[in-house]
């Protein structure tokens, strides 16, 4: 009554207006009582056009008026109806305009579900702390499963929806059903046994655990800890398709993939044959384009290589022309060498005529030398022509050291300079003679004579 006393004290008269009284009572109710959970049966339910809900909450001996405004009513997972046993979370208040005591309802849950919600949250927190909900442990779904296992009741409507969807999307996928109850006290143990059987047989690539929608009691088997651990420990990837889109169970959190409905689980598990055909057509088109591009590229490279490639006949003709040119050059070199030797022979013959007056013998001797020279020159020419044919394949026809193998020697100074005339030498000079099989050092012991002869 302290609030009333304050009001009376604030005014000089102890008499209050109705508005003042109702306001004071409302403040006392709202400030003196905490937010409460109140259980009862819904009656006199009215849902206004504005979306606000007005109803009475009653038990066997009493009732209280309740109001739930549109914003909070829209968040309810179910639609309130007459006779429904519920538990409301509300603030005690007073409607000042009529002086009606009422509850301002914040949320409503079905009666008896409070303990279930608390158990659900406890198990959820426990398993989450153990890491069973972590995305890192979730396994990738097989892109092309050949066999899919379904853990559900054979009589469930959800099974028919799943089979219809999978038959429509990809009838080639094989189905293995692991029958189990999905509701009731015996359901958790049977679900665990079905998951164990599927893992032991290892005959499917993917498992779907599913059932249709229902109340939280109907779906409670999928909030069982043993079921959750069996799904988390499955060696086969698991899709959870339990209830409707707004329903969440512990199985949804531990499964590798959560589907909002059993039908959605079937769509996630089975690849669409139409989609696969579309993808295959796209890949085939890309393959044809790539093959065409590669074919054009290879054709261009082949044409480019063909332009650079010489016909074997043309290559042989080029080599034949090169060998003929080499033969002409060799013949011309041999002719020039023969002319030089003839000139040298004539010079020597003239010198001999001056030194030896026996012209007849000298002429006879010269004729013999000339004959021998021609014979030797012809023989040398024939040898060179023969060697040219051999060297045409070995590309060594012009090896200058080959001359040394026929008994000639190359004379060089000690510094490696070639000596062409005897007149350039002097007594005591060091020289080096190069033969076909090696070289030797020598020294000039006499000055060159009138005919260019010298001793070494």
């Amino acid at each position: 009554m302290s609030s009333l006393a304050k009001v009376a004290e604030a005014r000089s008269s102890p008499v209050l207006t109705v508005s003042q009284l109702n306001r004071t009572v409302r403040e006392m109710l709202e400030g003196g009582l905490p937010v409460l959970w109140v259980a009862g049966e819904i009656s006199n339910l009215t849902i206004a056009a504005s979306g606000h809900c007005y109803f009475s909450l009653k038990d066997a001996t009493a009732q209280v008026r309740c109001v739930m405004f549109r914003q909070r009513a829209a968040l309810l997972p179910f639609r309130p109806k007459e006779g429904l046993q519920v538990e409301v979370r509300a603030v005690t208040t007073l409607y000042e305009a009529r002086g009606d005591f009422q509850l301002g309802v914040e949320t409503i849950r079905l009666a008896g579900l409070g303990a279930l919600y608390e158990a659900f949250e406890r198990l959820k927190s426990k398993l989450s702390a153990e890491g069973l909900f972590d995305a890192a442990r979730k396994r990738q779904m097989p892109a092309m499963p050949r066999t899919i296992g379904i853990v559900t009741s054979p009589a469930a409507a959800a099974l028919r929806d799943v089979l219809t969807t999978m038959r429509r999307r990809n009838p080639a996928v094989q189905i293995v059903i692991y029958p189990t109850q999905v509701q009731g006290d015996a359901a958790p143990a049977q679900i665990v046994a079905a998951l164990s059987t599927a893992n032991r047989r290892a005959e499917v690539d993917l498992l779907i655990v599913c059932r249709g929608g229902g109340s939280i009691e109907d779906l409670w088997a999928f909030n069982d800890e043993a079921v959750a651990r069996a799904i988390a420990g499955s060696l086969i990837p698991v899709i959870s398709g339990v209830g409707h889109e707004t329903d969440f169970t512990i199985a949804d959190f531990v499964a590798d993939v959560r589907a909002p409905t059993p039908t959605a689980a079937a769509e996630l598990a089975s690849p669409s044959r139409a989609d696969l055909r579309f993808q295959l057509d796209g890949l085939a088109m890309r393959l044809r384009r790539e093959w065409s591009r590669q074919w054009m590229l290879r054709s261009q490279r082949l044409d480019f290589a063909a332009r650079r490639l010489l016909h074997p006949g043309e290559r042989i003709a080029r080599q034949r022309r090169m060998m003929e040119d080499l033969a002409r050059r060799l013949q011309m070199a041999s002719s020039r060498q023969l002319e030089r030797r003839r000139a040298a022979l004539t010079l020597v013959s003239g010198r001999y005529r001056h030194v030896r007056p026996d012209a007849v013998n000298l002429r006879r001797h010269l004729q013999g030398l000339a004959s021998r020279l021609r014979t030797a020159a012809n023989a040398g020419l024939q040898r060179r022509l023969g060697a040219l044919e051999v060297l045409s394949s070995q590309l060594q026809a012009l090896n200058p050291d080959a001359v040394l193998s026929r008994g000639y020697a190359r004379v060089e100074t000690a510094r490696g300079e070639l000596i062409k005339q005897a007149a350039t030498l002097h007594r005591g000079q060091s020289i080096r003679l190069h033969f076909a099989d090696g070289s030797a050092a020598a020294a000039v012991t006499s000055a060159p004579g009138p005919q260019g002869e010298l001793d070494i």
Side-chain angles (χ1 to χ4, degrees):
M1 297 297 294
S2 59
S3 297
L4 290 174
K6 291 179 182 179
V7 172
E9 185 178 352
R11 296 178 177 272
S12 58
S13 173
V15 179
L16 300 176
T17 65
V18 175
S19 299
Q20 291 173 338
L21 175 63
N22 288 351
R23 184 179 306 110
T24 301
V25 173
R26 180 180 62 79
E27 292 174 354
M28 291 176 61
L29 289 173
E30 293 178 356
L33 292 177
V35 178
L36 302 173
W37 281 98
V38 182
E41 177 186 335
I42 295 178
S43 65
N44 302 320
L45 174 65
T46 299
I47 300 178
S50 60
H52 304 323
C53 295
Y54 302 95
F55 58 93
S56 297
L57 194 64
K58 69 177 184 177
D59 58 16
T61 60
Q63 67 177 0
V64 61
R65 295 188 61 82
C66 302
V67 59
M68 188 175 194
F69 296 109
R70 178 185 59 192
Q71 293 83 355
R72 296 186 180 275
L75 300 177
L76 290 178
F78 62 93
R79 186 177 180 86
K81 59 183 179 180
E82 291 279 347
L84 196 63
Q85 294 290 331
V86 296
E87 296 173 353
V88 301
R89 185 174 184 269
V91 176
T92 57
T93 186
L94 186 80
Y95 182 49
E96 298 181 23
R98 289 199 303 267
D100 291 337
F101 172 71
Q102 65 181 13
L103 299 179
V105 179
E106 294 182 353
T107 186
I108 305 176
R109 67 189 183 192
L110 298 177
L113 298 186
L116 294 180
Y117 277 120
E118 292 177 2
F120 175 87
E121 291 297 332
R122 284 197 303 271
L123 181 58
K124 181 180 176 183
S125 299
K126 176 183 177 181
L127 298 182
S128 178
E130 294 180 14
L132 267 63
F133 300 167
D134 293 348
R137 60 162 293 277
K138 306 289 186 178
R139 286 162 296 188
Q140 187 72 24
M141 294 294 103
M144 297 290 294
R146 296 183 178 180
T147 306
I148 297 176
I150 304 175
V151 178
T152 192
S153 171
L159 177 60
R160 294 192 295 273
D161 295 340
V162 169
L163 294 178
T164 301
T165 301
M166 297 183 68
R167 188 160 45 249
R168 171 177 53 82
R169 289 176 62 84
N170 197 335
V173 176
Q174 298 181 357
I175 306 298
V176 178
I177 299 175
Y178 299 96
T180 177
Q181 291 186 22
V182 292
Q183 183 175 340
D185 295 338
Q190 292 189 19
I191 294 173
V192 171
L195 290 170
S196 176
T197 300
N199 279 270
R200 186 178 66 254
R201 293 180 182 176
E203 58 190 348
V204 298
D205 303 316
L206 180 64
L207 281 172
I208 297 177
V209 178
C210 65
R211 69 146 289 158
S215 65
I216 188 171
E217 295 97 332
D218 297 337
L219 305 180
W220 193 251
F222 297 94
N223 291 321
D224 187 83
E225 182 174 359
V227 173
R229 294 191 182 278
I231 292 175
S234 173
L235 301 177
I236 304 171
V238 178
I239 296 178
S240 173
V242 178
H244 297 305
E245 188 170 356
T246 58
D247 297 324
F248 281 89
T249 64
I250 298 297
D252 293 331
F253 295 108
V254 297
D256 297 296
V257 174
R258 185 252 177 186
T261 62
T263 301
E267 293 179 351
L268 289 174
S270 58
S272 171
R273 183 171 58 179
D275 293 343
L276 293 176
R277 183 178 293 111
F278 179 77
Q279 295 177 9
L280 184 60
D281 292 341
L283 291 174
M285 181 178 297
R286 290 176 56 189
L287 181 61
R288 287 193 297 269
R289 289 177 179 174
E290 181 63 19
W291 183 89
S292 178
R293 191 183 70 84
Q294 291 293 333
W295 181 82
M296 293 178 62
L297 179 62
R298 296 298 190 276
S299 298
Q300 291 175 357
R301 292 177 60 183
L302 180 61
D303 293 341
F304 180 72
R307 287 195 295 268
R308 298 178 58 189
L309 181 65
L310 289 177
H311 191 276
E314 178 63 23
R315 188 179 296 274
I316 293 173
R318 288 187 179 184
Q319 293 178 349
R320 182 180 293 111
R321 289 193 296 270
M322 182 178 68
M323 299 308 300
E324 290 174 353
D325 181 65
L326 290 175
R328 285 193 300 270
R329 291 171 60 188
L330 180 59
Q331 186 174 8
M332 293 174 61
S334 299
S335 299
R336 286 194 295 270
Q337 187 176 11
L338 180 60
E339 291 298 330
R340 285 197 298 271
R341 291 187 177 182
R342 281 179 179 172
L345 180 59
T346 302
L347 179 61
V348 171
S349 298
R351 290 178 179 177
Y352 280 163
R353 280 196 299 270
H354 292 292
V355 175
R356 295 181 181 181
D358 190 354
V360 175
N361 291 333
L362 288 175
R363 184 177 295 107
R364 188 180 298 114
H365 183 65
L366 286 174
Q367 290 175 352
L369 290 176
S371 177
R372 290 172 58 189
L373 181 60
R374 284 192 297 273
T375 301
N378 290 330
L381 180 60
Q382 292 300 322
R383 285 195 301 274
R384 283 172 174 77
L385 290 175
L388 176 62
E389 295 177 356
V390 175
L391 295 176
S392 63
S393 62
Q394 302 177 357
L395 299 179
Q396 295 180 353
L398 300 177
N399 187 358
D401 290 334
V403 180
L404 301 182
S405 64
R406 295 197 295 272
Y408 295 96
R410 187 172 72 251
V411 182
E412 296 179 352
T413 65
R415 293 183 298 179
E417 297 175 350
L418 184 64
I419 299 173
K420 297 182 179 180
Q421 296 180 356
T424 60
L425 298 174
H426 56 82
R427 182 183 299 173
Q429 182 177 357
S430 296
I431 60 175
R432 177 166 290 276
L433 304 179
H434 292 273
F435 304 96
D437 57 351
S439 62
V444 178
T445 58
S446 64
Q451 304 299 326
E453 69 276 5
L454 51 81
D455 295 329
I456 58 174

